[in-house]
Amino acid sequence: MRRVILCCVLVFCFMASTYAQIRNITGTVTDKSSKPVPGASVYNVETGKSTQTDEKGKFLIEAAGGQTLRFIYMGAQTVSSKVGSTSVVDAQLEVSATNLNDVVVTGYQTERKKDLTGDVAIVDVDELKKQSVANPMKALQGQVAGVYITGNGSPSAPATIRIRGIGTLNDNDPLYIIDGVPTKSGMHELNQADIESMQILKDASSASIYGARAANGVIVITTKKGKTGKTQLSGNAYSSLSTYVNKLEMLDAEGYGKILWQAYVNKNLDPNSNGLRYQFDWKVDPNTNQPVLNKVLLPEFLNATQTLRTSNTDWFKEISQPGIIQNYDAQVSSGTENGHYLLSLGYFDNKGIVRTTGFNRISARINSDYKLFNGALTIGQNLSVTKTKEVAADIINSALQALPIIPVHTVDGIGWGGPVDGMNDRQNPVRVLEDNQQNGYDFMRLFGNFFADVKIAKGLVFKSNFGIDYGDYTSRNWQKKYQSGYLVNDVNKVINTQTHNVKTTWTNTLNYSLESGNHRLNAFAGTEHYVENSNTFMASREGFVLEDPDYLYLDAGTGIKDNSGSGAKNVLLSYIGRANYSYMDRYLVSATIRRDGSSRFGANNKYGWFPAFSGAWRISEESFVKNNASFVDDLKLHAGWGKTGNQEINNNAIYNIYLSNYNITSYDMNGNKSGVLPSGFYLSQNANPNLRWEATEMSNVALDFSLWKQKLYGSVGYYLKKTTGILLLPPYIGVLGEGGNTYVNGASMENRGFELSLGHKSRLTDDLSIDVNGNFDMVRNKVTYLPAAVVNAYGGDGKGQNILGRSIGSFFGYVADGLFRTQAEVDNSAAQPNKGLGRIRYADLNHDGVIDINDRTWIGNPVPKYTYGFNANINYKNFDFSFLLQGIGDVAVRNDAKSYTDFWGAIESSSNKGARLLNAWSPSNPNSDIPAVALTDDNNEARLSTYFIENGSYLKLRNAQIGYTFNKQLISKLKMQNLRVYIGGDNLAILMKSKSFTGLDPETPGFGYPNPLVVTAGINVRF
């Protein structure tokens, strides 16, 4: 009997040890339709270890028999399963097709996506991270309907963002809220890898919670937090090469000579009388009586001392370099039920395609939260420290104008080439870049918040949040000695600048939530106190013996000293309240009220009220839809009205300002009749105690829908946005005397718009899935009112034609009606001074037979008639492919480059010109649309006309990327959870542009930093 008992005990112990043995557990997570759920978290409750499912819903985790695996996925109920004797554990989740239970941050609180009543765009941040740019806002281009973004290719990726049009004559930038802290600048200082979510509050009913600064829309950003589970280490690295998509073709030394000769003979002057060192072998053909150029002659040296050898310099090539981008990010995070932490480090460096320019950022972030007293108190912080350095250069126009015959260096290879007598005073662009390369800035920024949440009672939470935004700007700018041709600077100078800016925001709110049966209520009330202090100091000195970075400090100078400084402060005090109510998840209403007081406004209007109301009807919850339209996942009609404000004026706009000006206020007060006169003061600005807030009211209605289990989803909406009381500093007539400057509220503006977003998701096979979405929007802007004092300050003729009823920034000028091609056309046209063959013919709009200022009209609208974007993601097995298209339609742009590419003397005649002039009109080339070469602008063709206003519509391939994710079982041997490699590119091609646009890139038609083509290779890894 004892043997039997002993055997049973041994068998039981063996089974128990087998059951408790740690082993690899595999499985598949699917939804109710048996489709795999990628990205679901699998968490071992006992050990704290976790992993995620791959694109096929499969996972691999260590566990022992009897332990519990918890399966977590956003928008699905959490499922738990115990590990048995087998090594396979599968799970099935009930995933919402539309993820309506996802929680999003919309203000001072979070809301379920299904409860939103305002126009809130939820950004897919993973799409932003595909682009190799310093500024995540630049990567937002083409992603969201109603958000229009422009920018150039500068290494720091500056971006101009307009949400639902231009709403004011002042600052139109949106307000950013990062982890509850407001800011209006420095988005290139934010590491994209740190962003967890981003919401755009487009309408007033959602944005009015931020009241005084929300008139231009609000972008809410939440950074990543640690998650419950084992410690995770992740990294991302990529490197990119960038170059010009294309370059403007300029004249070389030979071509410049040909056009110079043509300009002189067209003026009936001797071309050999020019002062540019060019000589010509030419004659007049006796048969045609037309001049003929045989040869362009140039001397070996440009100057008598023979230090400048005649060259054929391609200045674009000389200022350009291959751009190199490097980016490295690392994050470590962990968490338990009582707290979480995340540490992030980032390094970004972009050496631009223009020599010596670049942007560098080093960033660190620590986010943590801790629960105390059994979860009754939660404290934490989200803090980032960034150090940025940038060297910029506005050199494109200089490279356009520099003469090709000027060498980069003198014959010894050391000195700088430059203009000689008879040439213009344009600087050597390479010298400017080389001498400017140390003239960057260093900026240190501390940004973040400290918070505490106290659970007072069930559903009642007190929240206190203290935000800080500290910036320290320093620069040491050198102005070196140089000799570049006849351009000489024999006095060097150092300018030191420091700016310190401290912004603090203290917010306290009381939040209450109640859920009972079919009723859901969420409300909060609170106060917010915002203070901004800034001060700037500048000091300079001339006369340094050595131009060495270790020597060029102010104390080492021996020459003239100078200094200046300033300081400013502004304060906002706000009272906030909001209530959201939902009945049966079918009928939803929301009301907001905010009262802001600002130090920038007069005593009579220091405070402003900003209310908002919105409501929604989830039609899909009605029985007549549920019972008759099973293909409808979600159908919600929502509408709202709200009022927001704008306070972006000078801090001293409400005060009397007295300034000293020795030239106009000095007076012999003591009657000495000799010596230095004492200076007095004069009134520069009059106070206006009635100055008040700009106010923007917006009404909107929209329909959100999701059909066939999200195979088709989207939104369509319309809005009306009106701004009144726009802040102005109008001009004044001299008879008013001192203090004529006075800020007033005086202008009004209106925007109407339509927005459409559509998307489609489907899994075609077990291995192939697609997710595509597109957006389209139209906006119509017009100025509806201006005070009489400024009505003509924004374009027009002062005789009735003005900006009222038109888009702000509209172009006003002449209509170019082609070229004069025959003498009969010249003779029969309206009187036009110095008209002639090959010259631009201007339309006689008032039919009085004379071309003068009365023939001007409105010739272009700078607001696009529509914008659009299309994003596609395709997954096949372990491969993923994506691309982004972005475009704008029918927009007027001013192509200022034509002043140098199509004319010899429209601006001035001694700089370089574009190669297009080689195809200029002439008797032997009568079909050209480029005016005949003219030595002087006798026909006044530099005037603003439709010759310079072109259609800037385009369609661009903004980004494309292909990646491969390695099998998890393969990389698990290396202790990796995920490994992905990819290649891609940004600004890959202009797929379509208007035929009327003659420049290179309609997005940057002027002389800005060009948008480069960027090719990227990178790796993502998670442990």
Side-chain angles (χ1 to χ4, degrees):
M1 182 65 180
R2 280 184 297 177
R3 291 181 179 180
V4 174
I5 294 174
L6 181 60
C7 288
C8 290
V9 170
L10 290 174
V11 170
F12 177 80
C13 290
F14 175 76
M15 293 178 62
S17 64
T18 302
Y19 195 76
Q21 183 179 3
I22 296 293
R23 60 190 188 273
N24 287 333
I25 303 298
T26 62
T28 303
V29 179
T30 60
D31 60 17
K32 291 296 184 180
S33 303
S34 299
K35 292 182 180 179
V37 178
S41 296
V42 184
Y43 173 59
N44 188 321
V45 175
E46 283 74 20
T47 66
K49 294 183 176 181
S50 64
T51 187
Q52 285 189 329
T53 58
D54 61 17
E55 66 282 353
K56 295 183 178 180
K58 298 184 179 300
F59 68 91
L60 173 68
I61 193 172
E62 291 183 344
Q67 293 181 340
T68 300
L69 298 182
R70 185 172 294 162
F71 301 90
I72 306 169
Y73 187 71
M74 185 68 74
Q77 294 292 326
T78 299
V79 171
S80 298
S81 296
K82 281 193 175 293
V83 177
S85 58
T86 67
S87 296
V88 178
V89 178
D90 295 328
Q92 191 174 74
L93 303 179
E94 186 172 350
V95 181
S96 169
T98 55
N99 297 328
L100 293 178
N101 291 311
D102 287 1
V103 174
V104 296
V105 180
T106 58
Y108 298 88
Q109 58 185 166
T110 58
E111 296 181 68
R112 295 185 306 172
K113 183 179 176 181
K114 67 191 300 181
D115 293 338
L116 295 176
T117 56
D119 275 353
V120 179
I122 301 173
V123 178
D124 187 344
V125 295
D126 290 335
E127 294 300 322
L128 305 185
K129 297 172 185 177
K130 292 178 180 179
Q131 299 190 40
S132 305
V133 290
N135 187 345
M137 297 301 104
K138 181 73 183 297
L140 192 62
Q141 202 168 21
Q143 305 271 12
V144 179
V147 181
Y148 178 48
I149 300 175
T150 57
N152 61 37
S154 180
S156 60
T160 300
I161 300 174
R162 299 293 176 257
I163 299 176
R164 291 188 165 177
I166 298 172
T168 177
L169 302 177
N170 299 301
D171 184 358
N172 280 275
D173 294 335
L175 177 69
Y176 301 96
I177 306 294
I178 305 176
D179 291 328
V181 182
T183 182
K184 293 206 71 167
S185 61
M187 296 308 295
H188 59 289
E189 293 145 16
L190 176 63
N191 186 353
Q192 283 197 60
D194 290 345
I195 300 176
E196 177 73 24
S197 67
M198 183 186 300
Q199 282 73 242
I200 302 178
L201 313 184
K202 297 191 293 183
D203 72 325
S205 65
S206 59
S208 65
I209 194 66
Y210 293 106
R213 291 168 290 172
N216 301 316
V218 180
I219 299 178
V220 181
I221 297 173
T222 304
T223 59
K224 291 181 177 179
K225 310 293 189 293
K227 297 179 180 179
T228 301
K230 66 179 181 180
T231 301
Q232 287 196 350
L233 174 64
S234 62
N236 172 47
Y238 65 78
S239 183
S240 305
L241 294 176
S242 58
T243 185
Y244 286 93
V245 177
N246 42 40
K247 298 180 183 179
L248 196 62
E249 187 179 356
M250 304 301 292
L251 293 169
D252 61 10
E254 177 80 9
Y256 186 86
K258 292 179 179 179
I259 301 303
L260 175 63
W261 173 83
Q262 188 71 57
Y264 269 81
V265 298
N266 284 354
K267 191 70 172 176
N268 294 319
L269 297 174
D270 180 7
N272 288 320
S273 64
N274 74 86
L276 298 176
R277 305 302 189 270
Y278 274 92
Q279 292 294 292
F280 305 98
D281 176 9
W282 69 289
K283 63 181 180 181
V284 176
D285 189 328
N287 297 321
T288 62
N289 200 33
Q290 293 295 322
V292 177
L293 176 64
N294 296 323
K295 191 175 183 179
V296 177
L297 305 173
L298 281 168
E300 182 179 0
F301 295 95
L302 297 178
N303 58 348
T305 58
Q306 297 188 348
T307 58
L308 296 175
R309 189 183 301 276
T310 302
S311 185
N312 186 21
T313 306
D314 182 344
W315 289 105
F316 265 114
K317 181 179 179 180
E318 295 296 333
I319 68 167
S320 302
Q321 66 181 8
I324 300 175
I325 303 173
Q326 298 181 74
N327 184 84
Y328 307 97
D329 298 305
Q331 290 183 346
V332 58
S333 63
S334 186
T336 67
E337 293 182 357
N338 294 318
H340 309 84
Y341 75 87
L342 178 140
L343 173 64
S344 168
L345 299 173
Y347 175 83
F348 179 90
D349 184 79
N350 185 350
K351 292 180 172 58
I353 61 175
V354 174
R355 287 178 57 183
T356 75
T357 63
F359 173 78
N360 178 278
R361 180 185 66 218
I362 301 173
S363 62
R365 173 176 293 277
I366 177 70
N367 291 354
S368 65
D369 62 85
Y370 303 96
K371 294 182 178 180
L372 306 174
F373 308 113
N374 294 322
L377 172 65
T378 301
I379 60 173
Q381 93 294 317
N382 305 285
L383 287 178
S384 69
V385 177
T386 57
K387 181 182 182 298
T388 55
K389 181 179 179 65
E390 183 174 15
V391 177
D394 184 10
I395 204 70
I396 300 300
N397 193 23
S398 297
L400 280 172
Q401 296 189 50
L403 292 178
I405 60 173
I406 298 175
V408 177
H409 290 285
T410 53
V411 291
D412 60 5
I414 300 174
W416 292 112
V420 297
D421 292 341
M423 297 181 181
N424 63 23
D425 59 354
R426 300 300 184 267
Q427 292 282 2
N428 180 331
V430 179
R431 183 204 68 77
V432 172
L433 289 176
E434 289 297 322
D435 288 355
N436 182 65
Q437 62 182 314
Q438 74 287 327
N439 290 339
Y441 69 81
D442 289 284
F443 187 65
M444 182 73 73
R445 188 181 192 189
L446 172 66
F447 187 95
N449 68 311
F450 299 88
F451 63 89
D453 296 353
V454 182
K455 294 182 179 178
I456 300 175
K458 183 179 180 181
L460 184 63
V461 178
F462 171 76
K463 295 184 177 183
S464 185
N465 186 82
F466 182 80
I468 184 169
D469 183 1
Y470 170 75
D472 179 41
Y473 173 97
T474 59
S475 71
R476 182 168 54 139
N477 189 289
W478 308 353
Q479 295 177 6
K480 292 186 174 182
K481 294 180 180 180
Y482 65 82
Q483 179 173 351
S484 177
Y486 69 71
L487 299 174
V488 178
N489 177 36
D490 53 9
V491 178
N492 51 26
K493 186 177 183 179
V494 169
I495 305 171
N496 281 7
T497 303
Q498 294 185 357
T499 299
H500 304 283
N501 189 285
V502 182
K503 305 170 188 174
T504 59
T505 307
W506 190 22
T507 308
N508 293 281
T509 61
L510 197 61
N511 294 259
Y512 178 71
S513 60
L514 172 68
E515 188 172 353
S516 176
N518 293 323
H519 304 277
R520 180 190 295 268
L521 174 67
N522 182 277
F524 82 91
T527 63
E528 185 169 86
H529 187 234
Y530 172 87
V531 180
E532 178 180 1
N533 280 286
S534 64
N535 61 80
T536 299
F537 175 77
M538 183 282 293
S540 68
R541 195 163 192 180
E542 296 179 352
F544 292 83
V545 177
L546 300 175
E547 292 186 341
D548 183 278
D550 294 329
Y551 183 81
L552 285 169
Y553 289 91
L554 297 178
D555 282 350
T558 59
I560 298 173
K561 299 178 182 179
D562 192 13
N563 63 74
S564 65
S566 64
K569 179 180 181 179
N570 74 85
V571 179
L572 275 171
L573 178 62
S574 308
Y575 304 92
I576 320 161
R578 169 180 275 181
N580 302 320
Y581 172 73
S582 170
Y583 177 65
M584 299 177 63
D585 283 343
R586 186 182 307 173
Y587 311 109
L588 306 101
V589 292
S590 177
T592 303
I593 188 67
R594 179 167 178 141
R595 178 173 167 82
D596 281 315
S598 172
S599 61
R600 290 178 173 174
F601 295 103
N604 298 338
N605 291 295
K606 192 170 291 292
Y607 282 88
W609 289 95
F610 302 98
F613 308 94
S614 59
W617 174 28
R618 180 163 291 107
I619 306 172
S620 53
E621 291 298 308
E622 299 289 354
S623 58
F624 63 82
V625 175
K626 280 187 172 184
N627 299 334
N628 300 290
S630 59
F631 63 90
V632 176
D633 310 320
D634 185 55
L635 187 64
K636 181 172 68 175
L637 178 68
H638 58 96
W641 172 90
K643 185 177 180 181
T644 52
N646 192 349
Q647 59 146 15
E648 298 305 316
I649 56 170
N650 293 338
N651 289 325
N652 57 13
I654 61 172
Y655 300 111
N656 287 324
I657 297 178
Y658 293 88
L659 300 176
S660 62
N661 186 321
Y662 190 82
N663 293 328
I664 65 174
T665 63
S666 58
Y667 188 77
D668 189 6
M669 295 288 295
N670 301 317
N672 296 328
K673 299 182 181 179
S674 65
V676 178
L677 300 177
S679 176
F681 293 83
Y682 75 98
L683 180 62
S684 170
Q685 176 182 290
N686 258 314
N688 181 0
N690 295 316
L691 205 63
R692 56 181 170 81
W693 304 88
E694 289 185 9
T696 298
E697 293 187 25
M698 184 187 296
S699 304
N700 58 276
V701 60
L703 181 68
D704 301 336
F705 56 89
S706 175
L707 311 174
W708 296 290
K709 296 185 177 179
Q710 212 173 3
K711 286 187 176 180
L712 181 65
Y713 60 92
S715 177
V716 58
Y718 174 83
Y719 64 87
L720 174 61
K721 177 180 177 182
K722 294 183 177 181
T723 304
T724 57
I726 294 176
L727 296 159
L728 297 170
L729 183 62
Y732 65 95
I733 57 177
V735 295
L736 291 178
E738 289 186 5
N741 283 323
T742 305
Y743 277 90
V744 299
N745 296 93
S748 299
M749 193 178 297
E750 178 183 292
N751 289 276
R752 298 174 181 266
F754 168 81
E755 297 171 357
L756 173 66
S757 299
L758 283 175
H760 169 75
K761 288 182 181 179
S762 65
R763 180 171 293 277
L764 304 179
T765 68
D766 290 341
D767 297 325
L768 178 63
S769 65
I770 62 172
D771 183 355
V772 296
N773 60 81
N775 61 83
F776 174 89
D777 70 77
M778 297 188 300
V779 61
R780 299 292 180 265
N781 166 268
K782 66 179 179 180
V783 179
T784 55
Y785 174 75
L786 281 170
V790 297
V791 72
N792 296 311
Y794 298 91
D797 59 5
K799 300 178 181 180
Q801 292 194 79
N802 53 50
I803 196 68
L804 293 178
R806 302 184 182 277
S807 298
I808 190 68
S810 293
F811 301 109
F812 188 77
Y814 295 84
V815 175
D817 189 21
L819 304 182
F820 291 111
R821 302 185 187 277
T822 66
Q823 189 60 44
E825 291 181 353
V826 175
D827 297 338
N828 296 326
S829 67
Q832 181 177 318
N834 298 299
K835 63 183 178 179
L837 291 175
R839 305 266 51 89
I840 296 178
R841 176 176 56 198
Y842 296 100
D844 181 14
L845 298 184
N846 64 355
H847 306 291
D848 64 354
V850 178
I851 302 299
D852 55 21
I853 60 173
N854 297 315
D855 292 302
R856 293 177 298 164
T857 188
W858 296 98
I859 57 177
N861 186 344
V863 179
K865 284 192 174 179
Y866 57 90
T867 66
Y868 57 98
F870 180 80
N871 210 331
N873 290 273
I874 303 169
N875 292 275
Y876 178 72
K877 293 186 176 180
N878 290 22
F879 288 94
D880 60 87
F881 172 70
S882 65
F883 65 86
L884 169 64
L885 303 176
Q886 180 264 331
I888 64 175
D890 201 5
V891 59
V893 298
R894 182 170 179 169
N895 186 1
D896 284 325
K898 292 182 81 172
S899 299
Y900 295 95
T901 62
D902 290 24
F903 299 91
W904 182 265
I907 302 298
E908 49 80 35
S909 59
S910 55
S911 65
N912 197 16
K913 308 297 177 182
R916 278 168 55 91
L917 274 178
L918 293 171
N919 187 41
W921 186 95
S922 68
S924 60
N925 188 28
N927 296 320
S928 174
D929 292 323
I930 300 172
V933 178
L935 189 63
T936 55
D937 188 21
D938 298 333
N939 194 34
N940 190 18
E941 290 170 348
R943 71 182 88 178
L944 181 59
S945 71
T946 54
Y947 191 87
F948 298 98
I949 305 301
E950 299 179 334
N951 187 343
S953 60
Y954 65 81
L955 171 63
K956 287 189 174 185
L957 178 58
R958 281 286 173 198
N959 174 265
Q961 189 178 105
I962 185 169
Y964 180 82
T965 302
F966 288 85
N967 187 281
K968 287 203 171 187
Q969 292 185 341
L970 177 64
I971 63 175
S972 64
K973 299 176 182 179
L974 301 174
K975 305 299 182 181
M976 294 182 183
Q977 288 189 6
N978 187 74
L979 176 62
R980 177 177 177 265
V981 294
Y982 62 91
I983 58 172
D986 303 332
N987 201 39
L988 293 171
I990 302 176
L991 301 179
M992 183 177 63
K993 65 179 180 179
S994 170
K995 293 181 180 179
S996 73
F997 184 75
T998 58
L1000 299 180
D1001 186 350
E1003 187 179 2
T1004 53
F1007 304 113
Y1009 204 110
N1011 285 303
L1013 181 151
V1014 181
V1015 178
T1016 302
I1019 182 172
N1020 307 122
V1021 61
R1022 184 173 69 248
F1023 294 92

